[in-house]
């Protein structure tokens, strides 16, 4: 699966379960093992597990694979390995303590919301249609 599509599926899955402070880091220059690290916060053990479950389900539904999941027992920090993207879902205190943002580069990838992505797709389709008519 294309990394941008995988990234979008993961973000949508996190947003569906009200994941907070979602950040995506491009790690292609830092690691050959994966291309993205995605961080999100959940407010409770139950929510972090629900976020991880949502990610796993949506990635599988989109044709992707889940390599492994770790940390579901405690729910303080759940890691979902989606192959080209690794998702860390943490409770805020754990996230602040480990500060993974610093490890993975400090500058996150700019993301369009689902609505922005849809609008951009519609504009592109409109430009193609207009170009065909005038050509």
């Amino acid at each position: 699966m294309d990394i941008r599509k995988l990234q979008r599926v993961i973000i949508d899955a996190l947003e569906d379960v009200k994941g907070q402070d979602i950040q995506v880091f491009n790690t292609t220059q830092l690691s050959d093992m994966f291309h993205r690290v995605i961080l999100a916060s959940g407010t409770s053990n139950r929510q972090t597990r629900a976020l991880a479950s949502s990610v796993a389900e949506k990635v599988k539904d989109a044709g992707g694979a889940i390599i492994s999941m770790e940390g579901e027992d405690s729910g303080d920090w759940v890691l979902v390995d989606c192959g080209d993207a690794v998702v860390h879902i943490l409770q805020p205190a754990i996230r602040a303590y480990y500060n993974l943002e610093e490890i993975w580069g400090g500058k996150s990838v700019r993301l369009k919301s689902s609505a922005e992505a849809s609008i951009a797709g519609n504009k592109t389709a409109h430009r193609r249609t207009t170009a065909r008519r005038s050509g």
Side-chain angles (χ1 to χ4, degrees):
M1 178 183 313
D2 173 62
I3 188 61
R4 283 172 288 188
K5 181 179 179 186
L6 177 60
Q7 180 177 292
R8 182 79 261 155
V9 168
I10 292 168
I11 299 304
D12 289 346
L14 292 168
E15 289 176 343
D16 285 350
V17 188
K18 309 292 187 230
Q20 299 175 355
D21 194 17
I22 300 167
Q23 291 188 297
V24 179
F25 296 93
N26 183 339
T27 59
T28 53
Q29 301 298 321
L30 302 173
S31 173
D32 292 336
M33 295 176 60
F34 44 85
H35 300 292
R36 298 289 188 274
V37 168
I38 300 173
L39 305 176
S41 294
T43 57
S44 67
N45 296 10
R46 181 176 287 179
Q47 187 185 21
T48 58
R49 288 190 290 261
L51 287 161
S53 178
S54 177
V55 167
E57 179 183 325
K58 299 285 169 96
V59 168
K60 287 178 187 175
D61 289 349
I66 301 302
I67 308 303
S68 68
M69 280 180 59
E70 300 175 21
E72 310 98 314
D73 294 340
S74 72
D76 293 329
W77 179 350
V78 183
L79 182 139
V80 184
D81 184 345
C82 304
D84 285 338
V86 176
V87 185
H88 296 269
I89 305 164
L90 307 97
Q91 289 190 32
I94 303 292
R95 186 168 176 175
Y97 180 79
Y98 286 101
N99 195 14
L100 297 179
E101 289 87 344
E102 185 177 302
I103 294 170
W104 293 112
K107 184 177 179 187
S108 59
V109 173
R110 182 178 169 345
L111 297 174
K112 293 180 182 177
S113 69
S114 296
E116 288 175 322
S118 177
I119 290 168
N122 290 339
K123 286 181 181 178
T124 302
H126 175 72
R127 277 182 272 190
R128 288 183 192 139
T129 303
T130 305
R132 279 190 223 126
R133 288 183 190 154
S134 62

